[in-house]
Amino acid sequence: MLAKHYRSFKHDLDQRGIIFSFSGYLSEEILYSLGNALRQKMTLEDANVSTVKKVFSVFVEQAQNIIRYSAEKLSSDKGQSIELSSGMVTIGTENDRFFIVCANVVLATDEPRLRERLERLRSMDRDAIKAYYKEQLKEAPEEQSKGATIGLIEIARRASEPIEFDFDPIDDQKFFFCMKVSI
């Protein structure tokens, strides 16, 4: 029964074009290892070098957003600087394009600002995104920002289609946030 269940799970992932998926607690060290595995997998499949760079870059930006902004975190209370953030990252192919999906829990207080940033980027064409990127590089970072503004613009610059995103309310304190980027 166990093998049948997970074989069915694997078959479902294969049917959806998923080539790589991670769900759990992330750290910078785990991100580094996953990134290496992803790059090696795409290299073995003879993916275009430019595509590999774009997919890898978007993967890193999305994973860093989970590490920095996930509302589900574990940290050490024994004086060690250990912090892990929960989320998921999935990479696959559909219609001859790669896609990268990230998802994590965000605080309800962060949802309006994140939604506004993503809607703004989604409404821009390539030239507008490029101009906005240059403008933001000259601006001082927002208070409490950990680089998300530039990171989201970087993602939009590499995307071949407008970024897809959604927020699913969990309760009055949290949302489940999901973002899909096609390359």
Side-chain angles (χ1 to χ4, degrees):
M1 190 68 173
L2 182 66
K4 185 175 184 176
H5 175 74
Y6 280 94
R7 184 172 148 222
S8 174
F9 179 64
K10 171 77 168 87
H11 179 73
D12 186 46
L13 293 176
D14 291 344
Q15 291 298 308
R16 294 172 184 261
I18 306 299
I19 60 171
F20 183 90
S21 185
F22 175 86
S23 178
Y25 284 93
L26 275 172
S27 66
E28 294 288 339
E29 292 80 16
I30 294 170
L31 167 62
Y32 179 78
S33 297
L34 293 176
N36 272 343
L38 171 63
R39 220 182 338 212
Q40 290 172 353
K41 167 78 169 130
M42 293 183 72
T43 300
L44 287 172
E45 293 181 348
D46 292 327
N48 175 293
V49 173
S50 174
T51 301
V52 172
K53 287 180 180 178
K54 287 179 181 177
V55 170
F56 180 76
S57 175
V58 170
F59 164 76
V60 169
E61 289 290 344
Q62 290 188 330
Q64 286 179 335
N65 284 340
I66 291 170
I67 292 168
R68 294 175 182 157
Y69 299 105
S70 174
E72 289 183 310
K73 292 185 182 287
L74 293 176
S75 58
S76 172
D77 58 355
K78 298 176 182 168
Q80 298 172 323
S81 62
I82 299 172
E83 185 173 272
L84 299 171
S85 302
S86 183
M88 63 176 283
V89 179
T90 300
I91 299 169
T93 58
E94 65 184 3
N95 303 324
D96 297 324
R97 290 188 175 175
F98 284 92
F99 65 86
I100 304 102
V101 175
C102 73
N104 59 280
V105 174
V106 297
L107 296 174
T109 53
D110 293 335
E111 183 267 340
R113 187 175 49 199
L114 180 56
R115 181 184 298 273
E116 186 275 325
R117 286 179 178 161
L118 289 168
E119 286 177 350
R120 182 176 185 174
L121 288 169
R122 191 164 55 185
S123 71
M124 295 178 176
D125 63 18
R126 289 211 164 279
D127 291 337
I129 291 171
K130 187 176 180 180
Y132 184 53
Y133 177 74
K134 288 181 179 178
E135 175 188 315
Q136 289 300 305
L137 286 176
K138 295 175 186 169
E139 297 288 322
E142 291 179 15
E143 194 173 310
Q144 298 179 335
S145 172
K146 298 173 188 170
T149 304
I150 295 298
L152 290 175
I153 299 170
E154 287 279 357
I155 290 170
R157 290 178 61 210
R158 287 171 172 73
S160 60
E161 298 175 6
I163 295 172
E164 296 177 50
F165 64 93
D166 196 15
F167 294 90
D168 185 31
I170 297 171
D171 55 34
D172 59 346
Q173 305 277 317
K174 296 175 185 169
F175 283 85
F176 189 77
F177 167 66
C178 187
M179 180 168 67
K180 181 178 182 182
V181 178
S182 295
I183 305 289

